Amino acid sequence: MKNSSFILRSILFLWGIVTFLTNFHLFGTHNTSRYFPFLERPEEYVIKGRSHISPSLFFTKASAAFKRGGGNTGIPELWGKYDLRDVIKSLEMVSGAEFVNPITEERGPNDDWLDKSIKFNVGGKIKARGFILNYQQDLNWYGFSIGAFIPIMYVNTSDRFDFVQGDSADELKNLRDGELVQIDRIRRNVHDKLGLRGNDWNQAGFGDLDLHFRFSKSWDHELKISNIDFNLQTGVVIPIGSNSDINYPSSISFMGNGHWGIYFDVVSEFELKQDWKIGLMIGAAYQFENSRRFRLPIYKEPALFSALITQVKINPGMTFKISPYLEAQNLTDGINFHFRYTYLRHNNDKWNDTRINPDVKSYLNQEPGFEIGGKEITAEDISKNIFEKENLTRWRVHYITLQFSYDSKEAGNNWVLDPVIYSAFDYQMNGSGSCKTHQFTLGVELHF
């Protein structure tokens, strides 16, 4: 007993040090997507020596995003604000001598719309429904277990463009109805030349596969606490999930966008008195760099709408998580309530243009003297643009989760596999640079 108490006190002491040292660099999750939450359930960690399989159905919806600095923005605008002038300039640089400005094609060579700021708001919607399979196998060996997690889903996305007269150049204000139709026709012509195939995108497939290894330890009636559970988990995320499509700006990656990843989670749970528990989940996820074919901005245009398509080496930033929770069990026979707050933070990604002496330079290796909007771009402008675009890859979210569950065993039912039926709602109450996604999940946990 004394030895067990010493081990427990040592773990709690180390846990306190970890919590203190990471106070300003909070910890993460195995899922690094800013579009889908897939938040971990503490019940999947605190298994108390029982194996289980947990199939669930989920529905996810989003129609806006949280912009940096506060307020809402369109989902595609997470990649930057859309100015048709910048997109046309990108098309010009890639097309070379063969380029004819779409404004010139529509209105003639001396039109006052040429090289003027033409801004659009770009909104978007995401709907997803699917199936999640979570499996945990107790190894009956010193508290160790292994497990796997994978989602299968069908995703619909769309985007829409609304011309903003008030933010555009003076020459494009107070336009007549026919001119508004004309300016949207020019935009669609530009998108055709970029090779973009439409505003709607549908895709079915897998998310990334998470394989993990866990150590669990439990103490009864130690330190004047009814029960203490301590869980350490490490895992590898295998990128088998569907990626975004460069020809559909509204398309999104299902999870890690092609990057392998590893993560480390710690979950501690304290049953202060019978049926009343508090807990804390923290963790960190690291993704390995990967090269993929992508639209790479030449200067200011969002990556989704660049004419330059090339291999881009991306080194993702770390993702951190902290998630305290409260659980009240047996409110009535077998009915449990769970409340959880989750904070996720993803640091800046590093993009690299690995081409040697490219014919068309990207924003990463652009040189001073580049001209856009009648202005010659300086080295300071280029450096500032690189910083701003890198900052677009950083995001954070604040979720609250409300969950009700029915534990058949606690209710006194002798059902096969002791099922726990649960429903959970993940609501994103705030964020920065993240898709404003809400998710509803209905599942069952089966023990064996």
Side-chain angles (χ1 to χ4, degrees):
M1 178 65 72
K2 290 183 178 180
N3 185 52
S4 176
S5 179
F6 173 76
I7 294 173
L8 173 59
R9 291 173 187 272
S10 299
I11 288 177
L12 292 178
F13 175 72
L14 292 173
W15 177 245
I17 293 176
V18 170
T19 303
F20 174 77
L21 292 176
T22 58
N23 188 43
F24 299 104
H25 300 283
L26 300 175
F27 272 22
T29 176
H30 60 226
N31 179 31
T32 53
S33 169
R34 60 179 169 183
Y35 299 106
F36 299 108
F38 295 134
L39 303 178
E40 297 89 347
R41 298 173 60 242
E43 298 90 338
E44 304 288 353
Y45 288 78
V46 185
I47 63 173
K48 295 186 181 296
R50 295 197 299 173
S51 301
H52 71 260
I53 187 169
S54 180
S56 60
L57 301 173
F58 73 91
F59 176 77
T60 300
K61 186 176 182 180
S63 56
F66 287 108
K67 66 181 179 182
R68 293 157 186 83
N72 293 336
T73 190
I75 296 172
E77 292 176 339
L78 293 172
W79 295 89
K81 296 294 287 185
Y82 183 103
D83 191 329
L84 186 57
R85 177 190 63 189
D86 299 334
V87 178
I88 290 175
K89 185 66 176 180
S90 172
L91 188 60
E92 177 186 355
M93 297 297 293
V94 171
S95 300
E98 299 177 356
F99 176 75
V100 178
N101 195 308
I103 295 177
T104 298
E105 292 179 335
E106 182 77 26
R107 294 173 59 90
N110 300 311
D111 189 75
D112 57 3
W113 290 5
L114 288 169
D115 216 17
K116 297 297 190 300
S117 179
I118 307 174
K119 295 188 177 181
F120 285 79
N121 286 333
V122 188
K125 292 184 178 181
I126 298 173
K127 289 183 180 180
R129 58 292 235 171
F131 175 79
I132 297 173
L133 186 61
N134 201 325
Y135 172 74
Q136 195 71 27
Q137 177 65 53
D138 182 40
L139 298 178
N140 295 314
W141 184 69
Y142 296 103
F144 288 100
S145 62
I146 57 174
F149 165 94
I150 189 169
I152 306 168
M153 57 184 128
Y154 180 72
V155 179
N156 309 101
T157 66
S158 62
D159 55 26
R160 63 185 184 278
F161 296 79
D162 297 310
F163 173 56
V164 186
Q165 295 192 58
D167 292 341
S168 299
D170 291 339
E171 291 84 353
L172 287 107
K173 295 178 180 177
N174 302 314
L175 299 182
R176 297 184 296 272
D177 290 345
E179 291 174 312
L180 294 174
V181 171
Q182 191 176 45
I183 206 166
D184 194 63
R185 186 163 60 241
I186 293 171
R187 178 194 62 79
R188 286 186 278 110
N189 185 19
V190 170
H191 286 195
D192 288 342
K193 293 179 183 294
L194 291 173
L196 303 180
R197 296 176 182 170
N199 298 335
D200 300 316
W201 181 76
N202 305 296
Q203 182 68 35
F206 289 95
D208 292 346
L209 174 63
D210 165 19
L211 300 176
H212 55 260
F213 183 71
R214 182 186 304 160
F215 168 75
S216 300
K217 181 67 176 176
S218 179
W219 295 267
D220 285 325
H221 298 93
E222 292 280 356
L223 305 178
K224 298 182 180 181
I225 298 174
S226 294
N227 185 266
I228 299 175
D229 280 284
F230 187 79
N231 304 271
L232 300 173
Q233 177 169 306
T234 184
V236 58
V237 179
I238 303 172
I240 65 173
S242 296
N243 296 331
S244 57
D245 188 329
I246 61 174
N247 295 320
Y248 290 88
S250 69
S251 68
I252 56 176
S253 62
F254 281 13
M255 287 181 70
N257 213 12
H259 295 273
W260 284 76
I262 56 175
Y263 70 92
F264 178 77
D265 282 343
V266 182
V267 180
S268 55
E269 184 176 276
F270 305 87
E271 187 174 5
L272 303 180
K273 62 179 183 177
Q274 186 174 359
D275 296 333
W276 286 90
K277 299 178 179 180
I278 61 172
L280 179 66
M281 306 171 66
I282 66 172
Y286 173 78
Q287 292 175 285
F288 297 95
E289 69 178 21
N290 182 41
S291 294
R292 63 167 296 195
R293 194 164 175 80
F294 211 81
R295 291 185 181 268
L296 184 62
I298 288 176
Y299 188 54
K300 283 282 189 180
E301 79 277 13
L304 302 176
F305 303 100
S306 176
L308 177 60
I309 300 175
T310 185
Q311 288 291 124
V312 183
K313 181 181 286 186
I314 302 175
N315 186 11
M318 293 280 288
T319 306
F320 303 102
K321 169 187 67 183
I322 185 166
S323 183
Y325 62 90
L326 168 69
E327 186 165 347
Q329 296 183 323
N330 278 316
L331 296 176
T332 184
D333 291 346
I335 300 295
N336 307 322
F337 172 71
H338 176 99
F339 174 83
R340 183 167 74 254
Y341 164 77
T342 303
Y343 173 79
L344 297 174
R345 179 191 179 104
H346 180 82
N347 290 339
N348 295 357
D349 298 343
K350 297 287 186 180
W351 285 35
N352 295 285
D353 184 353
T354 57
R355 297 172 300 157
I356 300 174
N357 298 320
D359 294 331
V360 180
K361 296 183 181 299
S362 71
Y363 78 98
L364 292 165
N365 52 29
Q366 198 59 256
E367 296 178 349
F370 178 75
E371 204 173 289
I372 186 168
K375 176 188 175 182
E376 189 173 285
I377 304 304
T378 66
E380 183 180 355
D381 293 328
I382 293 170
S383 179
K384 181 181 178 182
N385 185 50
I386 291 174
F387 173 79
E388 290 175 349
K389 287 197 177 298
E390 183 177 297
N391 200 41
L392 291 174
T393 64
R394 183 178 65 186
W395 53 266
R396 64 178 184 270
V397 298
H398 303 264
Y399 270 99
I400 59 171
T401 299
L402 303 175
Q403 177 181 294
F404 285 92
S405 63
Y406 175 75
D407 189 326
S408 63
K409 186 175 181 179
E410 289 295 328
N413 297 312
N414 189 24
W415 293 353
V416 177
L417 300 179
D418 296 331
V420 176
I421 303 168
Y422 65 89
S423 64
F425 180 58
D426 300 310
Y427 175 79
Q428 188 177 163
M429 59 181 180
N430 205 345
S432 175
S434 63
C435 187
K436 194 174 181 179
T437 309
H438 309 309
Q439 182 166 299
F440 176 77
T441 305
L442 178 64
V444 59
E445 190 175 300
L446 304 172
H447 302 91
F448 53 92

